[in-house]
Every structure is written in structure tokens, then in C-alpha cells.
Amino acid sequence: MPDRALHVDQIQTPAPVVDVNRMHANLRRAAEYTAAHGLAWRPHAKTHKSPALAAEQLRAGAVGLTVATPREAEVMSGAVDDLLLAYPPIGRAKLDRLMALPERVRLSVGLDSAEALAGLAEAAHASGRTVGVLVEADAGMGRVGVQSPADALALARMAADAPGLEFRGLMFYPGHVRSHVEEQDSAIRALAARIAEFVDALTAAGLAPRVVSGGSTPTFWRSHEVAGLTEVRPGTQIFNDRTTAEIGACGWDECAYSVLATVVSVAVPGQAVVDAGSKALSREEIRADASGFGALLDRPEIVVKSVSEEHGLLDLSATDWRPRVGDRVRIVPNHVCVSVNLHERIYGVRGDDVVDVWEVEARGR
Amino acid sequence: MPDRALHVDQIQTPAPVVDVNRMHANLRRAAEYTAAHGLAWRPHAKTHKSPALAAEQLRAGAVGLTVATPREAEVMSGAVDDLLLAYPPIGRAKLDRLMALPERVRLSVGLDSAEALAGLAEAAHASGRTVGVLVEADAGMGRVGVQSPADALALARMAADAPGLEFRGLMFYPGHVRSHVEEQDSAIRALAARIAEFVDALTAAGLAPRVVSGGSTPTFWRSHEVAGLTEVRPGTQIFNDRTTAEIGACGWDECAYSVLATVVSVAVPGQAVVDAGSKALSREEIRADASGFGALLDRPEIVVKSVSEEHGLLDLSATDWRPRVGDRVRIVPNHVCVSVNLHERIYGVRGDDVVDVWEVEARGR
């Protein structure tokens, strides 16, 4: 895989490049933090979709991986023996794919409905597997998850009673907490209180959760403040991105991922156009107090002010820097997970040398 | 490729499905309109990225295809003999790929800089090809394109003088005209006036453009009002999408493309969550007087109010309809081109039968 002869200038743009030293530093920090606080670290593979990078996470101390799709589960099962599918598998085809994972894989599934649970129970029983269940609770995001401890208890009982299933615990995703890390105090307290309600109700009914799985990159470094939490599932944190930096959950020099792009036009005054647009960066607005769709790694004051499919427009209004057609830049996107998903491979670089190439093998269905 | 045994319910979700009858009707309408107005129809392959669909466009009357990347050019060259790369190829690697296209391909390239032109001239000369040049002018979008007729003339002269190149004409993209088709009068007049300035200057200098290439889906049906236009390059129009319908450039029943999705959670009141999120629909805001990231094909009043990577949240606040976990829906995305690019294949359906499967072969780099 590594092509030691390749120089970063030989990569055709647009293409994602990862500073390998920064990535390893990010992994070390996550391992140290979770170890210090007795939390299991189960990173989400949706961010990199690469089994080689999953293996790096395991080597750094992860207990297993989180995945969102059957495809991610299949691909990651080549590198990982312990998988949490943090998404309900609905329908025969997806259940069949899950049950066909290698037997050595210890599988858990997060879900929030009796329908999902019944389908999973039937498939597990028929295949002779034991599948763990985490009941997903809505901790305030309002996306998915049971609304009340009573509903959680009902699903936990069904899981505990179903042959083929094993009730393992609770899962939640604090996706609503996206404020600056220094302004998360009340949200973190509310999260802890909410989780405690669910844990207490289950415990009182004799179904104490062994796993309480939460965490996200924006709340990652405050996970230890959520009492009762046993496990965290950060995705973005391996690479970080512009949003993560803007909300203070990483420093700019901890951004390991950028999209290498070439200036293709400077015809319109005040801007330079690069070949990384919404099909390389995505067109996700930033969820922080900033604008644009990315910023230059080496000149973060220069923002991608707009994108179309193959064009990214660098705003030069606040800089004297005037790039020329053919110049190259590295852009940190707002949201790294959706950017990675647009590419077939990621180049690992040290300085100007390409030291690794990782296929984004689990993208697609 | 066609698997006649497949029923639409057997497709694993999320997946793009295209109503084949609607798509063919869209192609017929485009062919009839352009023929009636003496315009060459050169659809943009970025939308479907499939050589099989490019071949359908040629059969329907297209004169050739437009592409945006070397990869699109390579893949489409299998089906098409006349390609316009509407994007400057910057750098040796991309130029080499272009020059390696089959000799039978008549290639034109749109560009706006002396650097792009010099690189192309050198590559064309070295390879013994003749490559056509369209000088790209900024018609008001402010993205790319020379700013003045004098700058256009300078590039046209360079192209006319360079061995290996041939000056063919002008190119522009009216991406700034996105208002409702019935409110485009003044923008269309301004466009025509702007184009006339460029055409007149080139003609006066003895470099009359043989091709004046413009057009976009939002302005498509008013292309005949832009005097001097010889060619149009609509992308979206083969499928249409929610934006196109919202601005009146198609009817809702002309939307041929939707993303088939499964309801995976109804735990949070007032909404249903489907398995099509930003990695199936994209998270592009709609550029029209509407909100959300898509709408149900059969119930357009139901909108995808928000998306995360694998979740789409259907807003049920204005309907009595209450889907159950496992139900399937079809979602028309805001912008079809970026949705297609997230998938490996598109299923062509007639009623409930899958009658074709098209690989999205030209996605990626």
C-alpha cells in the first residue's frame, strides 16, 4: 500500500491527505483520556471507513468499533472482533448480512423500537448467534431514542427475554450539545441527569445496564463529567475538522485531515477558485460561530466562502495573499465524515512524503 | 445488467431509484425544445455519471456530452465521441489523462486563464491532437470566467495561434439565475446583453465564436431568449429535483429521481426517521423559497426537516399520516447531482419492477 516514492505534489487533486503524526497524536490523546477516566473507547468507523485505520485505533487502545451500516460492519469485521452497530437494522436483507458476520465478532446493536428488536431477535435466534442489545434513549437531541425510562425498560425486558438476544445496556448520542466546550456546563449536567433517570429505572427493575454508551466529538473531553457513562463513541476525533476546532474541542494544529486542492481560476477579483467543491468537501454549513465550507490549513483566516460541485471559492478579501493558477492548498472541511465519504482513498503524509494510502473501503452500501 | 426478477421492495435502502418513463419523457422534452429553437443539446454528465445514461441522451438527440473531470471524460468516452470538458485541466497528470482519450473523441475544453491555455496547448501539441477551446466568460455568477471582452479576446487569440489548439467559441454558466422561471425576465435580458458584448468584441476582431455554450437547468426553458446562444448544457434536467420543481423549471410529476428509504425510528413524536441522511441525500440547503433537505415523492408536503449522516427526519407536524418502522418512502432531494454522487448505482424502475441498473461509474477521481 505505501508508495514511498510518492511526493505529495504528485497526488492528483482534489484528494484527502492526513498528517499521520497529528492523527497518531489524536489517537494517543483519546486513549490517555479514556484510560484516565475508566471509560471504554469505541470510536465510530463512519468517519474513516477504513479497516486499516480501525486497526490503528485498536492498537492505540480502543475496545472495539462503532459502525452505522451493514457495509461498515462487514468491512470492519476484517479488522475488529467487537462491533456495535449503533443503528437499527430494519428488514430481512440487512439482518441477514449482520448474521453472516464472522462468528468471532461480538456484536451489539443499538435500537429504539419493538419492531427492530423483534426482527433482530428472530434473526439472531435463527442463526444461532447471541446479539447484544443497547436500548437507545433520547438524551435531548430529539432524533431517535425512546422518550421515557418506562419505554426503555419495556425494550430491555424484551431483549432480556428473547432467545438470541442479550440486554447489555443503554446508548445515547448527545448530538444536541454543540456549543463551545467551555459553554457546555449546563448541557452536560442535564445530560447526566437525564441518563441517571434511565439507569435508575433499569437498575430498580433488576436490569442494571452494564454498558452506558454515549459520547461524541464535541462533548468528548467532558465525557467524565457524565456520571454513569461507561463507554464513548467519538468519530471525528481521529482527524478533527473545522467545526471541532471552532467549538474548542481541538486545536487547529490537531486538525489532521485536509483536502488537497489546486487553484484553477483567479479570473474573478478578490477570490481564487480551487478544484475542491461540494463533491470533495461537501456543502455542509458549519455548526459554530463561523461561515463558509472550510478554511485553509496553513492560513485558517482564508475561508471557502462558497462551493459548487467542482468549485470552491476562497475568499481573499481579508488577505494580501494572491495565489496563481496551479498553486496548491489544503482545506480543512467543516465536517470531516462527509468529506471522507466523497473519496475513494486517503493519503497519509509525513511532511511532503506520502507514507500510506488507505482505501475508504466501507463507503457505499 | 437488468435483473427482471427484482421488485423495488427487494432493493436495500437507501438507494436511488429513477422512474424510467419520467426520465425518457424529460429527455424527449429537452430534445424537442432544443430542436425547435435550433440549439445544440450537450447535457452535463456530472448529474448521472453513467455512460449508459449518456448513451440514452445521445439516442434522444444530444450532440455530445459535457463533463467536469478527467474521470468523467474517461468514462464517458466509452459512450460518446464529442466531449466538452467544461473545466480547466490544471497540471501534467490531468492533461496526460485527457490526451490519452481515444483519438476518435472530439475534445473541447472551457478555460479562463493563460496558464490553463498554455498547459493545454503544450499537451495537445506534444500528443498530436487538436483540442478545441471555449473561452469561459463570467456572465454574472462571479465564480469563474474572464471579466471583460478584452480578456476573452486575448485568450481567443492565444488559442487561435497555438498549434494543437483551435478557438471554437465562448462558454458561460448562468448559475446566478435561480429565481422562479416566471421571474427571470430581467436576468435573462441581462444575460443576453452581457453575452452580446463578448460575441461582438470577438466578431469585430475576426474571431467570431462558432459556439456560444450556456444553459443550466434553472434557465433551460428560456434558453431561446438568450440571443446568440448556440448550445445548452443542462445537467439536472434528465432527472429533475426538488429545487427544479420549486423554481418552476419542472413539474413535481417530472421528478424522475428519488432516494428509496426505510423508516427506522418513530420514537420521537411528530417525526419519522428514515435511513437516508446526508450520506444519501446530501445536506445541501434548498436554493428556493422552501426549507428542508428533500420531500416525499408521493407526499410532497412532507419534508425532510433535518439530516445527519445516516438519518433523515421527516416532519409529520402537518399531516395525519403516521408511518411505522419498516415502511418505505421515496425522497426527492434538493439537488440530484450531489445525491447521485453518493451512490454506487441507480435503479431504473417502471412501477414496482426494476428494469435497469446503472453504475455511477464516473464518480470519484
Side-chain angles (χ1 to χ4, degrees):
Chain A
M1 192 91 72
D3 180 347
R4 297 194 181 279
L6 202 64
H7 184 278
V8 72
D9 287 345
Q10 294 173 277
I11 299 172
Q12 283 187 57
T13 61
V17 293
V18 162
D19 182 315
V20 172
N21 292 343
R22 287 186 180 189
M23 178 185 79
H24 282 295
N26 290 345
L27 294 180
R28 268 197 310 276
R29 261 190 298 273
E32 285 165 10
Y33 170 79
T34 49
H37 294 288
L39 291 164
W41 173 39
R42 185 185 289 281
H44 205 311
K46 66 171 184 163
T47 302
H48 53 69
K49 292 192 181 241
S50 155
L53 292 178
E56 293 284 0
Q57 291 174 314
L58 289 182
R59 275 193 286 275
V63 300
L65 265 281
T66 308
V67 295
T69 68
R71 170 98 182 134
E72 288 175 10
E74 287 163 354
V75 170
M76 295 305 151
S77 72
V80 184
D81 287 337
D82 191 322
L83 291 175
L84 165 61
L85 177 66
Y87 202 93
I90 306 296
R92 189 79 235 163
K94 287 182 181 172
L95 288 164
D96 285 349
R97 290 171 69 178
L98 277 188
M99 295 309 127
L101 290 173
E103 275 183 43
R104 66 176 159 71
V105 173
R106 180 176 181 272
L107 180 66
S108 305
V109 171
L111 49 78
D112 71 1
S113 71
E115 290 88 343
L117 195 140
L120 184 64
E122 195 187 316
H125 187 57
S127 73
R129 286 188 94 106
T130 301
V131 178
V133 168
L134 299 188
V135 174
E136 178 150 27
D138 181 3
M141 186 185 184
R143 182 175 70 176
V144 295
V146 296
Q147 299 294 295
S148 70
D151 287 348
L153 185 54
L155 285 180
R157 281 218 173 93
M158 284 177 63
D161 292 345
L165 299 187
E166 183 181 283
F167 172 65
R168 288 189 184 146
L170 267 179
M171 181 177 104
F172 67 94
Y173 178 67
H176 56 301
V177 187
R178 295 183 168 271
S179 45
H180 195 282
V181 288
E182 288 171 12
E183 290 155 10
Q184 292 177 356
D185 293 18
S186 65
I188 294 280
R189 277 195 303 272
L191 203 58
R194 175 93 172 138
I195 298 310
E197 284 178 49
F198 284 90
V199 172
D200 292 350
L202 289 164
T203 304
L207 285 166
R210 277 179 289 144
V211 174
V212 179
S213 177
S216 68
T217 293
T219 60
F220 183 58
W221 308 104
R222 301 195 64 169
S223 301
H224 63 286
E225 298 176 46
V226 183
L229 202 64
T230 69
E231 177 179 286
V232 287
R233 308 187 310 275
T236 297
Q237 189 272 337
I238 182 173
F239 296 142
N240 292 317
D241 57 19
R242 186 166 172 244
T243 303
T244 308
E246 287 286 343
I247 65 166
C250 76
W252 190 254
D253 60 358
E254 291 164 6
C255 288
Y257 176 100
S258 58
V259 175
L260 187 68
T262 301
V263 174
V264 296
S265 170
V266 293
V268 178
Q271 69 187 29
V273 182
V274 296
D275 58 0
S278 65
K279 285 178 173 170
L281 300 169
S282 99
R283 215 182 91 188
E284 277 203 23
E285 313 266 345
I286 190 161
R287 302 199 203 187
D289 187 19
S291 64
F293 300 95
L296 297 195
L297 182 64
D298 299 326
R299 300 170 187 267
E301 71 280 11
I302 299 179
V303 162
V304 181
K305 65 179 178 177
S306 70
V307 287
S308 34
E309 285 160 63
E310 303 288 353
H311 301 83
L313 274 59
L314 304 182
D315 183 357
L316 303 181
S317 61
T319 175
D320 289 337
W321 179 65
R322 287 295 173 270
R324 301 174 57 171
V325 169
D327 283 355
R328 289 178 160 219
V329 296
R330 294 194 195 176
I331 301 167
V332 180
N334 288 351
H335 184 185
V336 70
C337 310
V338 291
S339 173
V340 169
N341 187 52
L342 295 165
H343 299 276
E344 295 115 311
R345 62 195 60 86
I346 302 168
Y347 296 87
V349 300
R350 261 201 196 90
D352 287 338
D353 292 328
V354 176
V355 295
D356 235 325
V357 182
W358 305 295
E359 300 297 317
V360 186
E361 205 178 318
R363 78 180 187 142
R365 304 292 162 187
Chain B
M1 193 91 71
D3 180 347
R4 297 196 181 280
L6 202 65
H7 184 277
V8 71
D9 287 346
Q10 295 174 277
I11 299 172
Q12 284 187 56
T13 61
V17 293
V18 162
D19 181 315
V20 172
N21 293 342
R22 287 187 179 188
M23 178 186 79
H24 282 295
N26 289 345
L27 294 181
R28 267 197 310 277
R29 261 191 297 273
E32 285 165 11
Y33 169 78
T34 48
H37 294 288
L39 291 163
W41 173 38
R42 186 186 288 279
H44 204 311
K46 67 172 183 160
T47 302
H48 53 69
K49 293 194 180 237
S50 156
L53 292 177
E56 293 283 359
Q57 292 174 315
L58 290 182
R59 276 193 286 276
V63 300
L65 264 282
T66 308
V67 296
T69 68
R71 170 99 182 130
E72 288 174 9
E74 287 162 355
V75 170
M76 294 305 151
S77 72
V80 183
D81 288 337
D82 190 322
L83 291 175
L84 166 61
L85 176 65
Y87 202 94
I90 306 297
R92 189 78 235 162
K94 287 181 181 175
L95 288 164
D96 285 348
R97 291 171 69 178
L98 276 188
M99 295 309 126
L101 291 174
E103 276 183 41
R104 64 174 160 73
V105 173
R106 181 176 181 272
L107 180 66
S108 306
V109 171
L111 49 77
D112 70 2
S113 70
E115 290 88 342
L117 196 139
L120 185 64
E122 193 186 318
H125 186 57
S127 73
R129 286 189 93 106
T130 300
V131 178
V133 168
L134 300 188
V135 173
E136 180 150 25
D138 181 2
M141 186 185 185
R143 182 176 70 177
V144 295
V146 296
Q147 299 294 295
S148 70
D151 287 347
L153 185 54
L155 286 180
R157 281 218 173 93
M158 283 177 64
D161 292 345
L165 299 187
E166 182 181 284
F167 173 64
R168 289 193 183 142
L170 267 178
M171 181 177 102
F172 67 94
Y173 178 67
H176 57 299
V177 187
R178 296 184 166 272
S179 46
H180 194 282
V181 287
E182 288 170 13
E183 291 154 10
Q184 292 177 356
D185 293 18
S186 65
I188 294 280
R189 276 196 302 271
L191 204 57
R194 175 93 173 137
I195 298 310
E197 285 178 48
F198 285 90
V199 172
D200 291 350
L202 289 164
T203 304
L207 285 166
R210 277 177 290 145
V211 175
V212 179
S213 177
S216 68
T217 293
T219 60
F220 183 58
W221 308 104
R222 302 196 63 168
S223 301
H224 62 285
E225 298 175 45
V226 183
L229 203 62
T230 69
E231 175 179 287
V232 286
R233 309 186 310 273
T236 297
Q237 189 273 337
I238 182 174
F239 296 143
N240 292 319
D241 58 19
R242 186 166 171 245
T243 303
T244 309
E246 287 286 343
I247 66 166
C250 75
W252 190 253
D253 60 358
E254 291 165 5
C255 288
Y257 177 100
S258 58
V259 175
L260 186 68
T262 301
V263 175
V264 296
S265 171
V266 293
V268 178
Q271 70 187 29
V273 182
V274 298
D275 58 0
S278 64
K279 285 178 174 171
L281 301 168
S282 99
R283 213 182 94 189
E284 276 203 24
E285 313 265 344
I286 189 162
R287 301 200 204 186
D289 188 19
S291 65
F293 300 95
L296 297 196
L297 182 63
D298 299 326
R299 301 170 186 268
E301 71 280 11
I302 299 180
V303 162
V304 180
K305 65 178 177 178
S306 70
V307 287
S308 34
E309 285 160 64
E310 302 289 353
H311 300 82
L313 275 59
L314 304 182
D315 183 356
L316 303 181
S317 61
T319 174
D320 289 337
W321 178 66
R322 286 296 172 273
R324 300 174 57 173
V325 169
D327 284 355
R328 289 177 159 219
V329 297
R330 292 193 197 176
I331 300 166
V332 180
N334 288 352
H335 185 185
V336 70
C337 310
V338 290
S339 173
V340 168
N341 187 52
L342 295 165
H343 299 276
E344 296 116 311
R345 62 193 61 84
I346 303 168
Y347 295 87
V349 300
R350 259 199 198 93
D352 287 338
D353 293 327
V354 176
V355 296
D356 236 322
V357 181
W358 305 295
E359 300 297 317
V360 186
E361 206 178 315
R363 78 179 186 141
R365 305 294 160 186

